[in-house]
Amino acid sequence: MAGTTGKGFYVGMVLGMVMMSSMAASCAANFLQDTELTWGGDRGKVLNGGQLLTLSLDKFSGSGFQSKKQFLFGKIDMDIKLVSGNSAGTVTTFYLSSEGPNHDEIDFEFLGNVSGDPYILHTNVFAQGKGNKEQQFYLWFDPTRNFHKYSIIWKPQHIIFLVDNIPIRVFENEEAKGVPFPKDQAMRMYSSLWNADDWATRGGLVKTDWSKAPFTAYYRNFKATDHFISSSSSSDSFSDSKVQSNEIDANGRRRLRWAQKYFMIYDYCTDLKRFPQGLPPECKRSRF
Ligand SMILES: *[C@@H]1O[C@H](CO)[C@@H](O)[C@H](O)[C@H]1NC(C)=O
């Protein structure tokens, strides 16, 4: 990898420009260039020259988009403004996933609610096709009023979920205890807005109010800072330096404890009813 100091000074003007533009592309993505709308027809829209993307849901369909590139480790950020008003029954997702039968997945799902009642942020990790590692949270702000940043840091040793740069969950690599960890399959970023009123709101008790459709969620500032990119693209190695500070420091651990203490509403690791034979092995560790 080229050094980050002096880059562009000692090369020709044209080469310097090329390098600068490829750096920019790997840092702040443009929805037109870096993602594609994959379903829902014109319910998904890219606006403002690729700076803003909207998804909508009506009686007939939801919609979704995905990154063109695949990643093997990295940091993925997205600013999202969720469906406002009565969003009961709707689910907005932002996740990483590989393809195929034994797929890996790292999930953020936002479960809507009636006006004034809180969204649930649902998180999960799948490795080798198996999930069942849910943690759920309320948010400390109204996610429908403004954009907020949701991030996934994916490294070989752990996965960190962040909300506005506050770590809310750390999933450690516990392969030593026989727990599969997503680290061998490249993943894409996916996002969608769909109807799940059979389970989303109060466990399915509250149905989608279609008289309020279409429902709309807003996306901007998609960033993918990758360690390694599987689709051969050497220019992206310039963004490596950005990922280096992804460990959690003392302040981060304090914030993590704060989020877990005051906002976590479900943790599979404490759900003894669900695991009568004993909690999964990764749960038997000192928690943060
Ligand atoms: C919706 O609001 C109810 C009542 O406050 C709450 O129990 C529930 O957790 C909220 N969120 C969802 C997604 O059901």
Side-chain angles (χ1 to χ4, degrees):
M1 164 181 151
T4 46
T5 51
K7 185 165 18 126
F9 288 112
Y10 302 108
V11 294
M13 189 64 181
V14 174
L15 181 53
M17 302 268 287
V18 169
M19 293 170 89
M20 298 293 277
S21 65
S22 65
M23 275 174 70
S26 66
C27 293
N30 175 296
F31 288 119
L32 283 174
Q33 279 162 25
D34 302 304
T35 68
E36 50 201 344
L37 294 161
T38 42
W39 62 284
D42 61 5
R43 291 174 188 82
K45 290 190 173 66
V46 175
L47 304 164
N48 300 354
Q51 301 303 301
L52 178 70
L53 187 150
T54 63
L55 293 182
S56 69
L57 161 71
D58 59 36
K59 232 182 154 106
F60 306 103
S61 179
S63 49
F65 69 105
Q66 66 187 46
S67 64
K68 289 185 182 164
K69 281 180 184 159
Q70 298 191 329
F71 313 98
L72 191 54
F73 309 118
K75 179 166 189 265
I76 314 288
D77 301 304
M78 186 80 82
D79 292 359
I80 310 176
K81 186 151 109 65
L82 295 170
V83 174
S84 62
N86 184 355
S87 60
T90 71
V91 173
T92 306
T93 67
F94 166 51
Y95 62 103
L96 302 179
S97 182
S98 65
E99 288 169 23
N102 296 312
H103 82 297
D104 296 336
E105 193 176 310
I106 305 170
D107 288 331
F108 275 114
E109 297 190 355
F110 302 89
L111 318 184
N113 218 331
V114 294
S115 301
D117 276 355
Y119 264 80
I120 288 177
L121 170 51
H122 174 99
T123 64
N124 203 356
V125 176
F126 286 73
Q128 302 294 317
K130 283 184 63 186
N132 298 326
K133 301 184 189 311
E134 301 86 355
Q135 282 187 358
Q136 296 185 334
F137 302 82
Y138 286 144
L139 295 162
W140 47 92
F141 50 82
D142 177 353
T144 72
R145 280 181 76 93
N146 293 302
F147 283 93
H148 290 269
K149 187 182 297 301
Y150 304 94
S151 315
I152 295 167
I153 293 173
W154 176 31
K155 301 182 88 176
Q157 56 273 36
H158 57 221
I159 293 161
I160 308 175
F161 295 81
L162 303 103
V163 176
D164 288 334
N165 298 316
I166 296 179
I168 61 163
R169 175 175 189 181
V170 177
F171 185 81
E172 300 282 353
N173 182 334
E174 301 274 19
E175 283 180 308
K177 295 182 182 171
V179 183
F181 185 86
K183 68 168 203 329
D184 300 318
Q185 308 186 72
M187 303 206 247
R188 275 199 175 81
M189 181 282 298
Y190 295 85
S191 222
S192 58
L193 172 57
W194 51 291
N195 178 48
D197 67 0
D198 52 335
W199 60 271
T201 307
R202 299 181 64 193
L205 287 176
V206 187
K207 301 297 175 194
T208 305
D209 178 358
W210 293 113
S211 74
K212 301 291 190 308
F215 304 96
T216 305
Y218 301 82
Y219 296 81
R220 65 181 194 199
N221 290 335
F222 166 47
K223 275 187 203 163
T225 318
D226 40 285
H227 269 176
F228 312 107
I229 275 201
S230 64
S231 64
S232 61
S233 170
S234 55
S235 63
D236 291 293
S237 61
F238 289 119
S239 60
D240 268 8
S241 57
K242 291 271 199 250
V243 204
Q244 267 152 26
S245 58
N246 286 337
E247 299 301 335
I248 296 203
D249 58 10
N251 186 40
R253 274 194 293 278
R254 210 171 305 124
R255 291 167 149 217
L256 177 65
R257 276 195 300 271
W258 171 82
Q260 298 207 335
K261 180 169 178 195
Y262 296 109
F263 298 97
M264 191 195 284
I265 55 170
Y266 178 79
D267 181 6
Y268 77 110
C269 274
T270 59
D271 194 346
L272 292 162
K273 262 200 261 154
R274 185 171 163 196
F275 302 105
Q277 326 289 16
L279 293 171
E282 72 275 16
C283 296
K284 296 182 195 97
R285 59 190 302 275
S286 54
R287 308 244 322 275
F288 285 101

